[in-house]
């Protein structure tokens, strides 16, 4: 009998079809994410789960699914899954790195440019019928991106792709990284990037772009003290995870113009609550967690997600296991 698999939301491309060719699949039929209780109830008897970053897969959910052998996350980030607990239970967890690197870097740049040149604010201005004078010498002035300093917090794949785009803007690139890797060496050799500590990066950068995973160490990495180190003309861009920034402190810094602007794709709570102070600010560009949202990338993610699951449930090592130690046992 084929293994049973529960998919917590419809995913695009051929991924679902691929999974369906190997397993007995059921898919959560709604647009809203299932609650933990709904996942447990819908996934009873399942050996595989396909999850999204909005699904909370904690030890309670894992314990309530005794047949579970593999969790295939449809994302590169997996902070919504208790990987340590899954590992203890011998459950393989996989993700979809690599394919979304360039797409996410594009969005970081879209936010950087939009926030710096006030593109969204200008669009709102025109639509509101406020454009009454043909050309104004001081109308909607932004700041130059070309030739400025870009600070990349976390020089992994996406950080590097963001830095590579900066060479076309003749920018000086600073970065932080906890370790020496092939990517950090490439950043230094190919982009002329300079490694500094976080405080130096915050003090010297005109644009700060965040590219670290959310872990206990990076939660609120950018808080009141860090925002206080940034230039009053600086722009913060976040396409990583919302909780890397203390959002309340960010809203204060923006409303008091202690930093100039922000471009945000991710939030501490998603969807962002409608009473969030960020929504009332003109100097923030806000998009709804669409870093990887291109037709091409989302369908590649679905394919990798399916390949990971098929391999894991067939007893093979998936290409992108986040806890490969499960196989070492
Ligand atoms: C991821 O894959 O972690 C991204 O946040 C999705 O856009």
């Amino acid at each position: 009998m084929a293994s049973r698999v529960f998919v917590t939301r419809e995913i695009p491309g051929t991924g679902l079809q691929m999974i369906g060719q190997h397993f007995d699949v059921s898919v959560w039929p709604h647009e809203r994410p299932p609650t933990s209780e709904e996942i447990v109830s819908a996934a009873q008897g399942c050996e595989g789960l396909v999850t999204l970053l909005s699904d909370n897969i904690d030890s309670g959910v894992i314990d309530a699914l005794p047949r579970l052998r593999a969790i295939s996350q449809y994302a590169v980030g997996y902070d919504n899954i208790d990987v340590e607990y899954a590992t203890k239970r011998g459950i393989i967890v996989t993700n979809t790195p690599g394919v979304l690197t360039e797409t996410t870097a594009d969005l970081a740049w879209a936010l950087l440019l939009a926030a710096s040149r006030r593109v969204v604010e200008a669009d709102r201005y025109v639509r509101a019928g406020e454009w009454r004078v043909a050309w104004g010498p001081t109308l909607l002035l932004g700041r130059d991106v070309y030739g400025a300093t870009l600070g990349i917090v976390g020089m992994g794949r996406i950080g590097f792709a963001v830095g590579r785009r900066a060479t076309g803007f003749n920018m000086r690139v600073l970065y932080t990284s906890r370790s020496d890797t092939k990517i950090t060496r490439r950043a230094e050799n190919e982009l002329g990037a300079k490694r500094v500590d976080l405080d130096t990066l915050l003090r010297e950068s005109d644009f700060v772009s965040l590219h670290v995973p959310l872990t206990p160490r990076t939660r609120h990495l950018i808080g009141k003290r860090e925002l206080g180190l940034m230039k009053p003309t600086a722009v913060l861009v976040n396409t990583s995870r919302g909780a890397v920034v203390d959002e309340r402190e960010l809203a204060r810094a923006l409303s008091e113009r202690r930093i100039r602007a922000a471009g945000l794709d991710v939030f501490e709570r998603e969807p962002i609550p409608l009473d969030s102070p960020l929504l009332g600010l003109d100097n923030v560009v806000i998009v709804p967690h669409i870093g990887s949202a291109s037709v091409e990338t989302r369908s590649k993610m679905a394919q990798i997600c399916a390949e990971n699951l098929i391999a894991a449930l067939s007893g093979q090592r998936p290409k992108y296991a986040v806890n490969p130690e499960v196989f070492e046992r």
Side-chain angles (χ1 to χ4, degrees):
M1 213 169 66
S3 300
R4 284 191 51 214
V5 167
F6 177 59
V7 182
T8 65
R9 218 86 56 78
E10 185 92 34
I11 55 173
T14 53
L16 271 183
Q17 240 173 292
M18 290 167 66
I19 297 171
Q21 280 160 9
H22 290 78
F23 311 115
D24 174 10
V25 192
S26 55
V27 181
W28 178 249
H30 309 289
E31 205 188 323
R32 72 164 174 87
T35 61
S36 298
E37 293 73 27
E38 286 167 333
I39 293 175
V40 165
S41 142
Q44 272 314 310
C46 284
E47 291 178 48
L49 259 189
V50 173
T51 53
L52 270 56
L53 50 88
S54 46
D55 303 320
N56 178 27
I57 310 297
D58 58 16
S59 57
V61 171
I62 292 172
D63 272 342
L65 299 172
R67 291 179 63 89
L68 196 59
R69 292 198 290 127
I71 303 171
S72 178
Q73 168 91 336
Y74 180 68
V76 63
Y78 47 83
D79 48 276
N80 57 306
I81 302 172
D82 188 339
V83 175
E84 206 180 312
Y85 193 70
T87 307
K88 255 190 219 150
R89 281 264 326 268
I91 296 167
I92 191 91
V93 180
T94 63
N95 68 341
T96 62
V99 285
L100 46 74
T101 299
E102 302 298 336
T103 308
T104 308
D106 282 349
L107 188 84
W109 265 88
L111 290 171
L112 185 158
L113 287 167
S116 193
R117 296 299 306 274
R118 302 171 66 180
V119 174
V120 177
E121 199 185 338
D123 178 278
R124 280 196 294 257
Y125 173 89
V126 174
R127 289 172 200 268
E130 286 176 41
W131 188 20
R132 295 189 198 96
V133 174
W135 190 84
T138 58
L139 178 63
L140 287 160
L141 300 186
R143 291 239 168 202
D144 282 334
V145 174
Y146 184 86
T149 298
L150 171 65
I152 298 175
V153 179
M155 186 54 85
R157 289 188 189 89
I158 300 174
F160 182 82
V162 168
R164 182 156 26 73
R165 284 156 176 74
T167 59
F169 285 77
N170 202 26
M171 294 176 98
R172 172 182 176 231
V173 178
L174 304 177
Y175 76 95
T176 64
S177 174
R178 288 175 75 202
S179 40
D180 248 324
T181 64
K182 225 196 259 176
I183 297 180
T184 60
R185 284 192 290 282
R186 279 188 67 198
E188 304 208 351
N189 298 336
E190 294 173 30
L191 313 180
K194 185 175 164 209
R195 183 176 187 157
V196 290
D197 59 46
L198 181 61
D199 287 6
T200 306
L201 180 144
L202 294 169
R203 274 194 204 102
E204 294 189 13
S205 298
D206 301 300
F207 298 91
V208 174
S209 194
L210 305 178
H211 301 287
V212 288
L214 177 62
T215 64
R217 207 186 50 82
T218 60
R219 185 171 291 276
H220 287 190
L221 179 70
I222 305 298
K224 186 173 180 183
R225 189 189 80 81
E226 291 73 22
L227 290 162
L229 295 176
M230 289 174 68
K231 297 181 184 182
T233 50
V235 172
L236 180 72
V237 174
N238 191 7
T239 52
S240 62
R241 284 293 181 267
V244 172
V245 178
D246 182 337
E247 212 166 275
R248 191 195 304 226
E249 290 301 336
L250 174 63
R252 279 203 191 118
L254 286 162
S255 73
E256 293 165 11
R257 308 278 157 170
R258 283 186 273 118
I259 67 169
R260 181 162 61 97
L264 306 175
D265 181 40
V266 288
F267 303 88
E268 292 203 59
R269 262 184 63 201
E270 296 179 0
I272 187 170
L274 290 178
D275 61 356
S276 165
L278 288 171
L279 294 176
L281 300 173
D282 267 347
N283 52 345
V284 197
V285 177
I286 292 181
V287 294
H289 204 150
I290 55 168
S292 62
S294 76
V295 173
E296 299 85 347
T297 290
R298 286 284 166 87
S299 73
K300 278 187 219 146
M301 284 165 65
Q303 190 186 328
I304 290 178
C305 185
E307 287 167 359
N308 281 337
L309 186 73
I310 294 163
L313 290 183
S314 322
Q316 289 154 24
R317 210 186 175 107
K319 195 157 171 203
Y320 299 109
V322 305
N323 58 352
E325 58 272 32
V326 168
F327 277 89
E328 255 99 73
R329 290 179 187 162

